[in-house]
Amino acid sequence: MAKVKVKTHSGAKKRFKITASGKVKYMRTNKSHRLTQKETKRKRIARNAGLCTSANAPTVKKLVPYM
């Protein structure tokens, strides 16, 4: 019997990427609009991508099985 394909979660595939080592990468919040009133330090920290914690990574990998 053929293996059933798992649907990818549309919201998760837009927000997360799986790195070559298997970690889950995401972009931080607060970098899309109204940037003039936010502190420079806050915007600078938001520039860098974040890595999901080991507790949340398995859940994200289930939502995005084919990445």
Side-chain angles (χ1 to χ4, degrees), residues 4-5 9 16 22 25 28 32 34 38 44 52 56 59 67:
V4 178
K5 289 184 78 173
H9 191 278
F16 300 104
K25 186 170 76 167
R28 295 181 192 273
S32 59
R34 290 172 58 179
K38 293 174 186 168
R44 185 173 61 246
C52 277
N56 294 328
T59 307
M67 291 184 100

Side-chain angles (χ1 to χ4, degrees), residues 15-26 50-54 56-58 60-61 64 67:
R15 290 169 172 81
F16 300 104
K17 298 278 184 250
I18 309 297
T19 62
S21 61
K23 294 178 182 175
V24 180
K25 186 170 76 167
Y26 65 93
L51 292 175
C52 277
T53 59
S54 57
N56 294 328
V60 175
K61 287 180 183 178
V64 191
M67 291 184 100

Side-chain angles (χ1 to χ4, degrees), residues 10-45:
S10 297
K13 74 180 174 187
K14 295 171 193 171
R15 290 169 172 81
F16 300 104
K17 298 278 184 250
I18 309 297
T19 62
S21 61
K23 294 178 182 175
V24 180
K25 186 170 76 167
Y26 65 93
M27 288 309 295
R28 295 181 192 273
T29 58
N30 298 318
K31 279 291 285 185
S32 59
H33 62 99
R34 290 172 58 179
L35 297 173
T36 54
Q37 64 191 31
K38 293 174 186 168
E39 288 184 12
T40 311
K41 180 179 178 181
R42 184 171 160 191
K43 292 187 284 186
R44 185 173 61 246
I45 291 169

